[in-house]
Amino acid sequence: MSTTFDVINPATEALVASLQEADVAQTDAVIAKAAKAFESWKKVSPGDRANLLRRFSALVTSHREELAQLEITNSGHTRGNALWEADNVSNVLNYYAGAPERLFGKQIPVAGGVDITFKEPIGVVGIIVPWNFPMPIASWGFAAALAAGNTVVLKPAELTPMTAVRLAELALDAGIPEGVLNVIVGKGSVVGARFVSNPTVRKISFTGSTAVGKSIMAGCADQVKRVTLELGGKSANVIFADSDIDRAAAAAPGAVFDNSGQDCCARSRILVQKSAFDRFMEGFEKSVKAYRVEDPNLDTSQMGPLISKKQLETVQSFLNDKDDAVAFTGTAPSGPGYWMPPTVLMPQSVNARTWQEEIFGPVVSVLTFEDEAEAISLANASDYGLSGSIWTNDLGRAMRVSRAIESGNLSVNSHSSVRFWTPFGGFKQSGLGRALGPDALDAYTETKNVFFATE
Ligand code: NAD
């Protein structure tokens, strides 16, 4: 007997849809379908596979308004973000449509024959996605996986399944055969866990919390199942006194409050050089107070609600800590919905829970440092290493500090982390492996070496 669950609009608390959640038997049936489809999908010629992905990309573009609207309603994303996210799916598909014809192996000189490497698809790939960026993160997995000749079973997060379901329909409309891209809606502990235990799934690509990622990695060990992990973060925004402080202060809210702080790359630890602290905080307060937290449907909205009541309660539980002082806050609407103002904390020390743990909400902590060595040491004093920013006008310092910070994705004098054609992933407990760019194809292929004797 199947059960249903409700999908809620976080900006209004209205019901969006009631969906059925799959059980283990239904999950196994879809995995079997994906395994059958793999037998023919891997044989589709590179040019035909490329064209199908291009058609899929074009259909996403022609449905961008519909997909964006679904995400605004399901996830509370601002209109600007939701449109960017739909376009990102289209761009990622288009980028990886270039891959089937460029999945080069190597020819390695050997005596007595010819040695060639092949990039073979792995088989059925299980992609498990979180709720914070449902569309882009799903596509970063399925576009590269499909391009490399794998078939996919995709599990969206329980809170945000709507766009994944629609994207799978668009794939079929584009002519991608039945069984190649399958979306299974259900619980992580049921559907996601079955991806890990079912031996027909040959690889897991997981994006989500570090705690669940660790359990997935442990589960994969039993079958030596391939695994890519994109996990949590507690990234530093390091601001040196020699930088353009006004620019750094104006940009800092967007670096942490975008998507209501529910961003694995959120720069949630601000480190400011002591001599620039007063000037930075003055500008930062102005920019936080001007940050527009409002109905995500408005073109002017910069921040919407949090995803759920539970997430709002979790984030607010961080605010009762005696180790922190609230420096200032922005504004938020009242009434229905899971709203909270952007909040800036001054922790007493690096030991504060808010400095150490990923909050995943619109909360940022500010501490000071004396010199470059202390800035690097404070930035690296974290189990995470996903993202971060460095503000300085000294080129040598920009090079030294960006090489010294233990993180997968850094920006200097900017906060951008993610481009679909450059690699993305974490150091330390922020993950394993890389998504996007040319590197992601390694995550969805096995290298096969074949020696052909000629004598
Ligand atoms: P989560 O770990 O609770 O859930 C992520 C996904 O895993 C969901 O689909 C969930 O249903 C599933 N899941 C839960 N338990 C499972 C289990 N036992 N077996 C298999 N699957 C299971 O994370 P979340 O709360 O949805 O997302 C927030 C977290 O994701 C944050 O920590 C954030 O930093 C991280 N994140 C990381 C990246 C990145 O690229 N590094 C990107 C986005 C989010």
Side-chain angles (χ1 to χ4, degrees):
M1 201 192 71
S2 52
T3 27
T4 58
F5 68 99
D6 291 342
V7 179
I8 303 294
N9 180 333
T12 62
E13 300 180 46
L15 180 70
V16 175
S18 282
L19 298 185
Q20 291 206 330
E21 57 186 25
D23 59 17
V24 171
Q26 288 163 329
T27 305
D28 281 345
V30 181
I31 292 169
K33 193 169 143 195
K36 187 155 180 285
F38 175 61
E39 292 311 313
S40 41
W41 180 245
K42 69 181 175 189
K43 293 182 193 143
V44 172
S45 75
D48 287 348
R49 213 186 296 147
N51 280 334
L52 287 166
L53 291 174
R54 278 190 201 105
R55 285 226 293 268
F56 187 8
S57 165
L59 270 185
V60 171
T61 296
S62 60
H63 290 76
R64 73 191 282 268
E65 187 63 48
E66 178 200 341
L67 288 163
Q69 202 53 56
L70 266 182
E71 207 63 275
I72 296 169
T73 310
N74 184 174
S75 307
H77 288 196
T78 61
R79 184 171 161 72
N81 277 11
L83 286 166
W84 182 92
E85 290 160 21
D87 291 342
N88 184 253
V89 176
S90 173
N91 287 330
V92 170
L93 280 165
N94 197 41
Y95 176 76
Y96 285 109
E101 290 155 320
R102 295 170 180 81
L103 264 183
F104 303 126
K106 294 188 178 99
Q107 180 266 312
I108 300 172
V110 287
V114 177
D115 193 282
I116 303 179
T117 65
F118 296 89
K119 292 278 189 191
E120 302 284 13
I122 301 174
V124 178
V125 172
I127 299 176
I128 304 173
V129 176
W131 47 258
N132 63 332
F133 289 110
M135 273 196 281
I137 292 173
S139 73
W140 301 354
F142 69 62
L146 297 180
N150 305 282
T151 53
V152 167
V153 286
L154 166 70
K155 195 202 89 61
E158 292 88 324
L159 291 167
T160 56
M162 303 303 290
T163 45
V165 171
R166 187 68 187 116
L167 285 170
E169 291 168 359
L170 292 177
L172 285 177
D173 293 348
I176 292 179
E178 278 274 353
V180 171
L181 173 58
N182 309 275
V183 171
I184 313 179
V185 172
K187 286 201 175 79
S189 55
V190 178
V191 177
R194 190 59 188 145
F195 287 4
V196 176
S197 64
N198 185 323
T200 302
V201 177
R202 293 288 179 80
K203 151 121 201 175
I204 300 286
S205 173
F206 172 81
T207 308
S209 61
T210 296
V212 175
K214 286 179 184 177
S215 76
I216 287 187
M217 192 174 177
C220 285
D222 190 44
Q223 297 162 25
V224 198
K225 192 171 289 198
R226 277 70 182 128
V227 62
T228 299
L229 302 172
E230 301 284 350
L231 308 176
K234 189 75 185 175
S235 297
N237 181 6
V238 184
I239 298 154
F240 287 95
D242 65 23
S243 68
D244 182 339
I245 297 294
D246 296 339
R247 236 183 103 207
V256 61
F257 302 137
D258 185 58
N259 206 29
S260 312
Q262 303 165 129
D263 182 342
C264 52
C265 291
R267 276 70 164 169
S268 53
R269 293 185 299 150
I270 296 181
L271 284 162
V272 194
Q273 196 157 19
K274 218 168 246 172
S275 55
F277 178 76
D278 289 343
R279 176 138 176 233
F280 172 79
M281 287 304 266
E282 199 185 312
F284 188 37
E285 181 164 4
K286 271 191 212 135
S287 53
V288 169
K289 290 200 182 317
Y291 207 70
R292 296 185 70 108
V293 184
E294 58 188 358
D295 178 353
N297 283 291
L298 298 172
D299 283 331
T300 48
S301 179
Q302 290 176 293
M303 183 177 130
L306 277 81
I307 188 67
S308 65
K309 186 162 187 284
K310 183 163 163 272
Q311 186 65 11
L312 178 62
E313 285 166 0
T314 305
V315 173
Q316 284 180 334
S317 75
F318 278 91
L319 300 183
N320 308 321
D321 214 311
K322 61 176 177 14
D323 288 338
D324 301 302
V326 175
F328 46 84
T329 69
T331 58
S334 50
Y338 312 121
W339 298 94
M340 128 167 220
T343 301
V344 179
L345 302 179
M346 293 284 303
Q348 273 181 13
S349 77
V350 293
N351 298 322
R353 190 165 80 101
T354 48
W355 187 260
Q356 299 282 339
E357 294 180 23
E358 182 182 48
I359 299 175
F360 225 56
V363 180
V364 67
S365 304
V366 187
L367 280 179
T368 57
F369 64 87
E370 291 286 351
D371 56 18
E372 192 176 307
E374 194 189 10
I376 293 166
S377 139
L378 284 170
N380 284 341
S382 169
D383 289 338
Y384 295 112
L386 187 59
S387 190
S389 297
I390 300 146
W391 292 78
T392 176
N393 281 329
D394 177 333
L395 179 61
R397 169 169 281 161
M399 291 298 291
R400 282 191 305 275
V401 178
S402 56
R403 295 300 302 273
I405 291 185
E406 299 161 344
S407 167
N409 314 272
L410 291 166
S411 12
V412 176
N413 296 330
S414 130
H415 291 302
S416 64
S417 297
V418 185
R419 290 178 182 78
F420 57 84
W421 63 101
T422 61
F424 176 75
F427 278 30
K428 302 193 277 188
Q429 294 192 27
S430 284
L432 187 71
R434 291 293 177 271
L436 297 177
D439 302 49
L441 294 165
D442 290 339
Y444 295 106
T445 50
E446 292 277 19
T447 299
K448 180 185 283 172
N449 189 72
V450 184
F451 170 71
F452 298 87
T454 51
E455 290 164 8

